[in-house]
Amino acid sequence: MADSDHEYSEQGSDDDIPTRNGTGRAGAPRGRAMASRPKGRAQAKWEAAASSNWELHEGADGSIEGVLGGLEEAGKRKRLLKDTTPLQRGIIRHTLLILDLSIAMIEKDLRPTRHLLTINYTVGFIREFFEQNPISQLGILGMRDGIAIRVSDMSGNPNDHINAVKALRGMDPKGSPSLQNALEMARAALYHTPSHGTREVVIVLGALLTSDPGDIHDTIKSCIKDRIRVSIIGLAAQMHICAEICRKTNAGDENSYNVAVDEVDYRELLMSITTPPVVRSTDTEAQRRNQAALLMMGFPSRIVEEKPTLCACHGNLTRGGYLCSRCKAKVCNLPATCPTCDLTLILSTHLARSYHHLFPLRNWVEVSWARARQKGSTQCYGCLAPFPHVPAAEERSEHNGTRAKRAEGASESSRYECETCQNHFCIDCDVFSHEVVHNCPGCQSSAHLPGAEEEANGVEGESDAMAT
Amino acid sequence: MNIVDATDRTEKLDEGEAPSLLTIILDTNPHAWALLTESLSLSKAVANLLVFINAHIAINHANRIAVIASHAERAEWLFPALARSQKDSHANGVHGDGEDMEMQDGEAADSDGPSLPRDDANKYRPFAYIEHVLLSNLRRLMESTTADALSSTPATMIAGALTLALTYISKQTQALPSATTSAQFNYSDATAVAGGNEMSGDGAKSQASMGLSSRILILSVSGDLASQYIPIMNSIFACQRLTIPIDILKLAGDTVFLQQAADATGGIYMALDNNSRAGFLQYLMFAYLADQAARDHLIMPGEGEGVDFRAACFCHRRIVDIGFVCSICLSIFCEPLQDNLCLTCGSHLSMGNYGQKPVVVPKRKKKKRRALADGGADTPASDRGTPAP
């Protein structure tokens, strides 16, 4: 599908997952090679990732005492310093997670076993997925004995999935997996999903084989036709067919196939899928043809009634529910479509959960000692934790020597500054604000934002802040 | 005093109740309080609040308290106190003369927070300390409020106060259970606190439940918070993740989002009117003093009422119950856009079937009749086809 757009899509997804690409391979010429055939590559992706991890350790390892704290902070920040450029993302997602339940999952290279670890991680994945994509749908399939089995149906309720996945604990992995069967079943499950949502399949594959009843290439073709994107996480080694599936279903982009190096890597790979996918230009064109992009929605309020009345959706007697904003029909659960007037009814809180993808909090910058002295900050603006003391000006040169060894990304003064409100924060608040609250405590607590005002006045406060 | 507390009692308490951190966000917007002077003045409310705080402290010796003022144009800590130097620089920044940011470190060292209260043999010392710090900070906050600053913003910084409270809570929670490094890392993977500890093994969960349980109480007096819709929502979701209930005691005004906050996080929402406002302390003590563990066994007030779930539109900050939502970025607009461009993400939006009549029953009947009387003579003209959804 639309081979002319390789350049664009590669660009887009590079921005999407910079943590993997930034360290993995910064090679320029790969765009072309990737689109045609992955064979010419010098090094497999996971090998590159592994070796670059190793380099990172060596590079920063000067003296241990100073570096350790820095490494920890740098690690925390590395996760933070991702995309703050807003990209268009498919926020209404329909995702099928396919777990390998074949004999290969008994392997103990990931502790305790691949199977148990996968179940644990999947529970976390489900929670995170619905946290990040509240109006999306998820379904779970399994591959064992050469067939695909349905673990849980497409639904928007995380607890259903979690219970179903937990029930897998008692089931021993058996037989061999079949990618074709799994993909076909996923395709059938995604067949009815509306066109304004994405259709995604995530496969966790522990085995190094797939035992298929027919030609998997036909299945891949029909997946492409159905706009299904497949991403695969391998647990053992790279397989050509997986790379091919991912490449073909993602418009030539191969970043969606990854092999987990260890437990941590596995978890990161799985969790990175919870971020809504970037919408590619080809997709938008398809979307434009298919759907009205401005949806009319109702935000009904909940009512409680003295006497039970019938709900319009199921005809059950309920006390209370939600009244459709347009026709006042009573529905018992949200999100729903009003059975009477066909209005989409949704809780505004469902929508609001996705806003932080829309308005990401800007990354905070490291604070040099000079800047810390200038601002005179002695404690974190958010949590009131004290900062390390600012050394006097003359001590500075000597400090420079040791501080230079702190890992890249960590601030020498353990302070991090929001450029908008120019307040200083500790690393914990930095992580917390960017990953959990998505608010800056400083910007929200003051009507006067020096950073924003400077920017508005055209003063070069921005460059100042960058320099320090 | 500390010696007394550290005797054999500690052991017993550690097994039993987990300490709880109560973060109170006091809306100190002078406009709103001015309207309430007849029924409940700010000074009276603070006096009542102090009694409530003392009660909270008295329940469990390890209980903690934090108070944040959500003022007209900034949110500020009332308790615990800021270290002096930053506060001064902050206050200066607010006044607009940001030149003398440089603070000598000596000052910060010798005056760590406000001066201690006079020793009073008749008062439990933590009570006296909290009262002193809170009142002196509140007084300073009020003194530093200028008239023109007030005239510019009638709002209150609830979102900022919530965010400050959350950062403080997260730090305190991390610090309290002799935190292993893994516990520190955990919350950044977002599921950890909200029961996601199974990820790192089921053993960690019980430990987490023994830790600090936190809750937030917002005493709200001002209305309209629509301009802070997104930050407030973000804070609400953070609370949801961290299982921190947000209790709301509404003294005046009408805000949609605070009710949603209480509903989403499992907190208590109560609104007082002119008559019931006099019983402020009683409401505090009876409805809000119970901590999360106790609430499981109580029937809490405010349950069984409807919740207003309307949203604020992004274009005019109006509160709407029917909105237009961009399917790409989920921005809410109160009316169809003029040039079909989303104001937030700039993508082209076709208005699809807006204005189209809803699919009503007669059309369906046509379909049925046609199916039934397929060979029949007088089928109504069926060249229109079935209506597409």
Side-chain angles (χ1 to χ4, degrees):
Chain A
M1 116 184 192
D3 284 331
S4 58
D5 259 349
H6 287 158
E7 297 294 332
Y8 173 83
S9 50
E10 298 235 313
Q11 200 64 39
S13 39
D14 272 354
D15 288 341
D16 190 21
I17 327 167
T19 43
R20 296 206 52 74
N21 290 332
T23 55
R25 52 230 157 90
R30 80 169 215 285
R32 195 124 308 247
M34 197 73 31
S36 55
R37 199 122 259 238
K39 250 182 193 168
R41 194 174 42 199
Q43 210 178 20
K45 194 179 305 176
W46 52 275
E47 286 171 336
S51 62
S52 75
N53 274 350
W54 183 244
E55 275 164 28
L56 190 125
H57 276 283
E58 273 185 347
D61 209 0
S63 69
I64 295 169
E65 12 96 27
V67 171
L68 273 182
L71 266 185
E72 193 181 320
E73 287 194 12
K76 286 185 184 178
R77 269 182 75 80
K78 200 179 119 198
R79 238 172 311 152
L80 286 186
L81 295 174
K82 45 189 175 192
D83 45 349
T84 54
T85 45
L87 289 165
Q88 182 177 338
R89 289 173 186 280
I91 286 185
I92 304 173
R93 305 172 70 181
H94 301 94
T95 306
L96 270 179
L97 178 64
I98 301 178
L99 301 177
D100 188 352
L101 301 173
S102 69
I103 194 89
M105 296 301 277
I106 296 180
E107 288 284 330
K108 288 185 177 148
D109 53 352
L110 300 174
R111 278 178 303 263
T113 65
R114 287 181 186 174
H115 180 63
L116 291 176
L117 190 77
T118 304
I119 288 169
N120 281 344
Y121 282 179
T122 307
V123 172
F125 170 82
I126 294 167
R127 285 213 179 90
E128 180 73 10
F129 182 85
F130 284 105
E131 200 72 46
Q132 305 274 337
N133 311 281
I135 49 177
S136 301
Q137 304 269 316
L138 184 73
I140 299 175
L141 305 179
M143 298 182 289
R144 75 192 303 230
D145 275 343
I147 55 167
I149 56 170
R150 193 168 291 265
V151 177
S152 66
D153 287 327
M154 289 286 282
S155 92
N157 182 350
N159 290 328
D160 292 352
H161 300 305
I162 289 174
N163 290 336
V165 169
K166 278 185 177 163
L168 288 180
R169 261 190 205 148
M171 183 197 257
D172 279 330
K174 205 172 126 203
S176 43
S178 162
L179 284 177
Q180 192 192 8
N181 282 336
L183 282 176
E184 286 291 354
M185 190 182 255
R187 215 162 61 82
L190 291 171
Y191 181 74
H192 296 287
T193 57
S195 58
H196 59 255
T198 64
R199 295 173 176 180
E200 296 164 66
V201 172
V202 178
I203 302 178
V204 175
L205 188 65
L208 287 173
L209 61 107
T210 161
S211 89
D212 295 334
D215 185 2
I216 194 167
H217 293 91
D218 294 341
T219 309
I220 297 175
K221 272 180 204 138
S222 28
C223 284
I224 296 171
K225 210 172 73 199
D226 287 353
R227 282 197 313 118
I228 293 174
R229 298 173 169 202
V230 184
S231 38
I232 301 181
I233 298 174
L235 300 184
Q238 220 160 15
M239 273 165 74
H240 176 72
I241 187 66
C242 296
E244 190 172 333
I245 293 173
C246 290
R247 193 178 68 242
K248 287 193 170 159
T249 55
N250 286 286
D253 173 24
E254 232 189 23
N255 289 322
S256 52
Y257 180 41
N258 290 296
V259 175
V261 181
D262 54 12
E263 289 93 339
V264 180
D265 192 36
Y266 180 21
R267 197 189 142 80
E268 268 174 24
L269 288 174
L270 201 56
M271 289 306 167
S272 69
I273 292 171
T274 60
T275 311
V278 172
V279 172
R280 301 201 187 87
S281 62
T282 49
D283 295 353
T284 13
E285 271 158 33
Q287 278 183 8
R288 256 178 221 155
R289 277 201 304 277
N290 289 342
Q291 56 131 27
L294 198 58
L295 311 166
M296 191 165 169
M297 287 188 184
F299 304 102
S301 295
R302 192 167 69 210
I303 52 150
V304 176
E305 295 162 313
E306 285 291 310
K307 299 195 175 88
T309 53
L310 293 172
C311 72
C313 42
H314 304 99
N316 291 335
L317 277 175
T318 49
R319 291 181 56 194
Y322 303 87
L323 288 191
C324 168
S325 330
R326 187 155 66 183
C327 66
K328 306 289 176 214
K330 192 177 90 170
V331 292
C332 45
N333 258 317
L334 292 188
T337 313
C338 172
T340 316
C341 69
D342 226 15
L343 183 69
T344 310
L345 302 176
I346 197 168
L347 281 181
S348 53
T349 46
H350 287 147
L351 292 183
R353 281 190 191 219
S354 305
Y355 288 155
H356 64 85
H357 294 301
L358 199 58
F359 309 106
L361 185 58
R362 283 168 76 186
N363 285 331
W364 295 346
V365 296
E366 294 100 37
V367 175
S368 66
W369 284 118
R371 176 71 177 160
R373 198 175 300 108
Q374 189 197 343
K375 293 289 288 181
S377 54
T378 55
Q379 62 186 154
C380 169
Y381 187 81
C383 65
L384 306 182
F387 284 137
H389 208 64
V390 183
E394 59 268 23
E395 292 174 46
R396 198 181 153 208
S397 52
E398 149 196 7
H399 266 278
N400 265 349
T402 56
R403 293 298 161 181
K405 279 180 199 146
R406 276 183 77 109
E408 205 177 323
S411 164
E412 61 172 3
S413 59
S414 301
R415 294 158 167 86
Y416 297 89
E417 178 174 316
C418 166
E419 288 176 82
T420 313
C421 61
Q422 299 187 353
N423 284 308
H424 289 180
F425 299 93
C426 65
I427 180 67
D428 292 319
C429 287
D430 187 358
V431 175
F432 184 76
S433 299
H434 282 91
E435 300 218 325
V436 184
V437 203
H438 306 289
N439 278 345
C440 168
C443 300
Q444 296 304 329
S445 344
S446 174
H448 299 280
L449 301 174
E453 279 165 19
E454 274 171 33
E455 227 168 273
N457 293 340
V459 184
E460 45 187 14
E462 190 68 34
S463 57
D464 253 354
M466 294 300 282
T468 52
Chain B
M1 179 199 68
N2 281 334
I3 302 168
V4 176
D5 271 353
T7 47
D8 47 347
R9 245 197 309 166
T10 48
E11 248 183 322
K12 224 186 287 174
L13 280 168
D14 278 351
E15 298 168 358
E17 287 171 46
S20 73
L21 166 66
L22 171 64
T23 310
I24 299 177
I25 294 174
L26 177 62
D27 184 351
T28 55
N29 184 359
H31 289 288
W33 281 106
L35 296 175
L36 292 182
T37 30
E38 309 95 62
S39 48
L40 182 73
S41 64
L42 176 59
S43 56
K44 210 167 144 196
V46 170
N48 285 340
L49 188 63
L50 279 168
V51 176
F52 174 66
I53 290 172
N54 289 350
H56 173 75
I57 298 287
I59 282 180
N60 183 343
H61 80 105
N63 274 0
R64 302 179 196 187
I65 190 87
V67 187
I68 302 167
S70 160
H71 205 55
E73 55 171 6
R74 62 184 190 272
E76 223 175 89
W77 286 99
L78 294 182
F79 182 86
L82 290 180
R84 185 58 67 88
S85 91
Q86 196 196 354
K87 168 180 291 182
D88 284 354
S89 73
H90 178 69
N92 285 335
V94 168
H95 285 309
D97 50 359
E99 273 74 42
D100 52 349
M101 288 299 187
E102 196 125 356
M103 278 294 139
Q104 51 278 60
D105 296 311
E107 189 186 325
D110 61 30
S111 63
D112 196 9
S115 57
L116 288 175
R118 216 157 33 82
D119 266 340
D120 184 352
N122 291 321
K123 205 163 196 176
Y124 183 45
R125 202 153 160 266
F127 292 177
Y129 177 69
I130 291 170
E131 181 181 327
H132 177 80
V133 174
L134 201 156
L135 288 180
S136 56
N137 276 330
L138 186 59
R139 200 166 293 126
R140 187 177 300 124
L141 176 68
M142 286 305 177
E143 278 162 6
S144 70
T145 310
T146 55
D148 54 329
L150 277 184
S151 56
S152 61
T153 48
T156 184
M157 308 303 278
I158 288 283
L162 264 176
T163 316
L164 280 180
L166 280 170
T167 49
Y168 184 74
I169 288 172
S170 95
K171 191 53 150 292
Q172 294 291 316
T173 315
Q174 262 181 60
L176 188 81
S178 52
T180 54
T181 46
S182 71
Q184 275 191 344
F185 272 106
N186 255 349
Y187 78 103
S188 59
D189 58 42
T191 49
V193 198
N197 277 324
E198 291 139 303
M199 320 272 308
S200 51
D202 290 309
K205 196 171 184 181
S206 60
Q207 190 204 355
S209 67
M210 284 302 292
L212 195 66
S213 72
S214 314
R215 65 186 197 272
I216 296 175
L217 168 63
I218 300 181
L219 297 173
S220 164
V221 288
S222 27
D224 184 41
L225 295 171
S227 57
Q228 300 174 40
Y229 181 60
I230 295 175
I232 288 182
M233 281 298 168
N234 283 341
S235 319
I236 294 175
F237 296 130
C239 285
Q240 230 174 353
R241 263 186 185 187
L242 305 172
T243 56
I244 299 169
I246 303 180
D247 298 336
I248 312 285
L249 183 53
K250 191 99 195 97
L251 294 170
D254 181 34
T255 43
V256 176
F257 311 129
L258 292 183
Q259 200 180 2
Q260 293 180 11
D263 181 70
T265 56
I268 302 164
Y269 178 87
M270 283 177 90
L272 303 187
D273 57 14
N274 272 325
N275 298 323
S276 52
R277 214 171 282 137
F280 178 57
L281 179 60
Q282 200 175 352
Y283 277 101
L284 279 179
M285 295 295 249
F286 279 76
Y288 296 97
L289 192 57
D291 64 2
Q292 277 150 288
R295 282 179 194 187
D296 291 345
H297 308 289
L298 299 173
I299 296 174
M300 300 317 289
E303 284 172 18
E305 280 172 27
V307 182
D308 191 342
F309 277 115
R310 290 175 301 165
C313 77
F314 284 31
C315 43
H316 306 93
R317 304 281 173 212
R318 280 183 211 145
I319 311 260
V320 293
D321 60 354
I322 294 186
F324 297 89
V325 177
C326 168
S327 72
I328 290 169
C329 64
L330 302 185
S331 315
I332 305 167
F333 303 104
C334 57
E335 54 200 16
L337 301 162
Q338 288 173 348
D339 43 1
N340 283 341
L341 288 181
C342 172
L343 300 179
T344 313
C345 63
S347 50
H348 182 82
L349 301 173
S350 53
M351 254 317 288
N353 42 14
Y354 175 63
Q356 178 194 325
K357 283 179 186 157
V359 184
V360 286
V361 186
K363 281 189 179 173
R364 254 196 198 167
K365 269 184 186 165
K366 268 181 216 164
K367 190 178 163 190
K368 256 184 203 166
R369 219 179 277 158
R370 194 188 58 194
L372 281 173
D374 211 0
D378 55 352
T379 313
S382 60
D383 50 351
R384 278 171 78 190
T386 43

